[in-house]
């Protein structure tokens, strides 16, 4: 795409400052160009004069006056006026011509609008959900699925290559306990105290042939396989699909002459010199890298620990060539941050290549009460049930509308409402209204409006604010991606919809008598619709044409 209008404006400010310096070095400090927090202080404000004042030996306000004159020369018809404010801020009031040109800049970008170009594009592995295959997907896992998927979408839009991965923990004691639970119900017995309860276990007991006569290990493997199949189907319905389903069991498998991935990881750790033996067990000295204690890799019996699988799994990611490994984990895994980074350091890798966003809990609220959420007790809300109650769009929106480090109380009654009080309905309705504008235009009118900028004048506050909100989108995507914060996109989509609502009220497109203003507002409606659809796509929420 061509240069972003705000970048173009920033470049003009920097060039005007260069005119005043007359070849002298640029001053220290970051030149800002920001939206003023208060109305009446211009469209954008800059601190450039205060940065220049010391080197020019003049008061900041005097420098701001001179800078304003230079900037007005450079911007020409694009600027209405400039004003000096406070200790030396320069407030820039842009002309209608700038807003018209900026809107067409968005349209010229086409599908590239919002895309980023990182200094270094990375291959990123995002591992998320990874719930044990011992029960259906729960509402808690729905947050992980929505977050990981949205983060992957944002990284891709920002120019990175992303691989989505689900780690199936299909090995270990929990699988045997699941099998024992299935067998007990098939025999008409009580489930073991440490087993799994719930209707889904009873269904597995009916579904698996000869369940009463088989071993717990066999039943656990078959039951977990059926659960995994159900998890895949549920996630697909939730618009979440993975490039790789990684089985933990594969880490223990050797394929002669090649050793198992766990054995390969042990060899690499030996090369790095971080292994030692104590009490017959094999240990990794992770305390050297910020962990609170050293970790056992192999018990005195010769059996590898869960931690050994964690090491082998991370080593496998690095061997696959990923520059960044992102593990999306729950609030009960906070201790894993230091542990996973210590693994990277032990393997001789930069620990900054490992990121661990920690997601807080989800509470389903109905009638003012929170639902209980225990998979083992068989008392939980499944993702399938949640989708059936409020739909995919509402589920994803509410799972993404708050920062990942905040607890979510998902109010079923609010999420079910078909009125503006429900934020996802409000945003989708804005998109539907934008679509209705396009449907009600005269034949060929949209194409004519988009072909070239109209010489529109007399724009109002609603026109200008909507343009400014649209222009903010690439920066919001960049900020949300850098902070691993999809909730910022939800907030942006809501704010853009609010700006459009004011535009819908104060700037009627179809009833506008002035031909140039009408053409401009058509172009702005198209730019807004594209931007809102792009933001909703990042969230995995649909963009309805009508409601």
């Amino acid at each position: 795409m061509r240069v972003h209008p705000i970048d173009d404006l920033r470049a003009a400010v920097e060039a005007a400052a260069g005119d005043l310096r007359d070849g002298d070095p640029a001053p220290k400090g970051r030149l800002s160009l920001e939206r003023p927090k208060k109305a009446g202080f211009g469209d954008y404000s800059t601190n450039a004069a205060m940065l220049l004042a010391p080197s020019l030996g003049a008061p900041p306000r005097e420098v701001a006056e001179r800078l304003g004159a230079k900037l007005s020369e450079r911007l020409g018809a694009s600027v209405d006026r400039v004003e000096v404010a406070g200790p030396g801020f320069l407030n820039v009031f842009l002309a209608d011509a700038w807003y018209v040109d900026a809107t067409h800049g968005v349209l010229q970008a086409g599908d590239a609008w919002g895309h980023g170009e990182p200094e270094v594009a990375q291959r990123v592995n995002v591992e998320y959900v990874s719930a044990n295959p011992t029960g259906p997907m729960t509402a808690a896992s729905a947050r992980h699925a929505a977050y990981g998927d949205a983060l992957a979408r944002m990284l891709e839009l920002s120019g990175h290559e992303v691989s989505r991965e689900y780690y199936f923990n299909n090995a270990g004691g929990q699988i045997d306990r699941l099998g024992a639970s299935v067998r007990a119900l098939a025999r008409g017995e009580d489930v073991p105290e440490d087993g799994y309860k719930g209707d889904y276990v009873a269904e597995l007991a009916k579904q698996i042939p000869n369940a009463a006569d088989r071993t717990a290990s066999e039943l656990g493997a078959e039951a977990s396989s059926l659960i995994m199949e159900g998890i895949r189907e549920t996630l697909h319905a939730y618009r979440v699909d993975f490039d790789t389903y990684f089985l933990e069991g594969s880490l223990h498998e050797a394929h002669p002459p090649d050793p198992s991935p766990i054995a390969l990881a042990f060899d690499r750790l030996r090369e790095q010199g971080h292994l030692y033996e104590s009490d017959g067990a094999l240990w990794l000295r992770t305390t050297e890298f910020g962990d609170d204690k050293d970790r056992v890799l192999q018990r005195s019996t010769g059996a590898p620990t869960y931690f050994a699988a964690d090491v082998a799994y991370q080593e496998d990611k690095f061997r696959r060539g990923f520059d960044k490994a992102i593990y999306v984990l729950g609030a009960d895994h906070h201790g894993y941050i230091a542990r996973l980074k210590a693994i990277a350091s032990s393997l001789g890798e930069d620990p900054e290549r490992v990121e661990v966003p920690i997601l807080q809990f989800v509470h389903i609220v109905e009638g003012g009460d929170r639902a209980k959420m225990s998979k083992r007790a068989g008392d939980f809300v499944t993702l399938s049930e949640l989708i059936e109650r409020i739909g995919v769009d509402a589920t994803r929106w509410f799972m993404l509308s708050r920062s990942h480090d905040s607890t979510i109380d998902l109010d079923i009654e609010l999420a079910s409402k078909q009125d503006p009080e429900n934020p996802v309905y409000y945003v989708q309705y804005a998109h539907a209204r934008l679509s209705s504008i396009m449907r009600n235009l005269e034949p060929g009118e949209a194409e004519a409006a988009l072909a070239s900028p109209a010489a529109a004048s007399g724009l109002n506050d609603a026109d200008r604010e909507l343009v400014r909100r649209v222009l903010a989108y690439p920066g919001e995507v960049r900020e949300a991606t850098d902070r691993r914060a999809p909730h910022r996109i939800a907030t942006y989509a809501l704010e853009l919809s609010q700006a459009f609502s004011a535009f819908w009220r104060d700037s009627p497109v179809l009833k506008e008598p002035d031909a140039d203003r009408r053409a401009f507002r058509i172009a702005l409606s198209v730019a807004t619709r594209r931007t809102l659809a792009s933001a909703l796509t990042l969230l995995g929420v649909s963009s309805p044409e009508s409601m």
Side-chain angles (χ1 to χ4, degrees), residues 398-411:
F398 280 92
M399 291 299 178
L400 292 169
S401 60
R402 290 182 63 83
S403 172
H404 63 272
D405 55 11
S406 299
T407 299
I408 290 176
D409 283 332
L410 199 167
D411 188 328

Side-chain angles (χ1 to χ4, degrees), residues 187-376:
R187 293 175 175 177
E189 301 170 354
D190 291 335
V191 170
E193 187 176 341
D194 60 350
Y196 293 86
K197 303 176 178 66
D199 292 341
Y200 77 95
V201 184
E203 286 298 319
L204 288 168
K206 295 176 184 177
Q207 189 175 356
I208 298 175
N210 305 316
D213 303 320
R214 299 170 64 179
T215 66
S217 180
E218 289 176 337
L219 287 172
E222 188 162 346
S224 66
S225 179
L226 291 170
I227 290 172
M228 285 163 59
E229 183 179 336
I231 287 174
R232 286 191 181 97
E233 292 174 356
T234 299
L235 287 172
H236 179 71
Y238 194 47
R239 303 181 192 133
V240 175
D241 294 291
F242 292 87
D243 301 299
T244 302
Y245 287 92
F246 194 102
L247 299 181
E248 182 196 355
S250 68
L251 296 171
H252 301 266
E253 297 171 356
H255 299 281
D258 296 325
S260 70
I262 284 182
L264 284 172
F266 284 8
D267 288 342
R268 187 169 179 184
L269 293 173
R270 286 190 182 91
E271 292 172 2
Q272 297 294 324
H274 302 304
L275 295 184
Y276 67 94
E277 291 188 13
S278 178
D279 299 325
L282 186 64
W283 295 70
L284 178 61
R285 194 175 284 106
T286 53
T287 50
E288 289 186 0
F289 306 106
D291 200 1
D292 59 345
K293 61 181 179 180
D294 291 345
R295 303 285 169 178
V296 178
L297 288 175
Q298 186 172 282
R299 299 181 179 90
S300 57
T301 61
T305 62
Y306 284 126
F307 185 69
D310 291 339
V311 173
Y313 182 43
Q314 189 177 123
E315 200 269 343
D316 182 83
K317 289 183 178 183
F318 290 141
R319 278 196 290 112
R320 283 185 275 157
F322 292 111
D323 302 303
K324 182 81 70 175
I326 300 178
Y327 298 79
V328 180
L329 300 180
D332 52 347
H333 288 75
H334 199 277
Y336 273 70
I337 298 176
R339 202 175 310 173
L340 290 169
K341 286 183 173 290
I343 289 173
S345 298
S346 299
L347 292 168
E349 303 289 350
D350 182 355
E352 294 305 309
R353 292 176 65 184
V354 173
E355 291 184 22
V356 190
I358 297 293
L359 274 58
Q360 292 301 315
F361 297 107
V362 175
H363 300 290
I364 305 302
V365 178
E366 188 166 16
D369 296 325
R370 287 179 172 180
K372 295 180 180 179
M373 301 286 285
S374 171
K375 183 187 289 187
R376 180 160 293 180

Side-chain angles (χ1 to χ4, degrees), residues 137 204 270 382 455 457 485:
M137 290 292 298
L204 288 168
R270 286 190 182 91
T382 68
S457 59

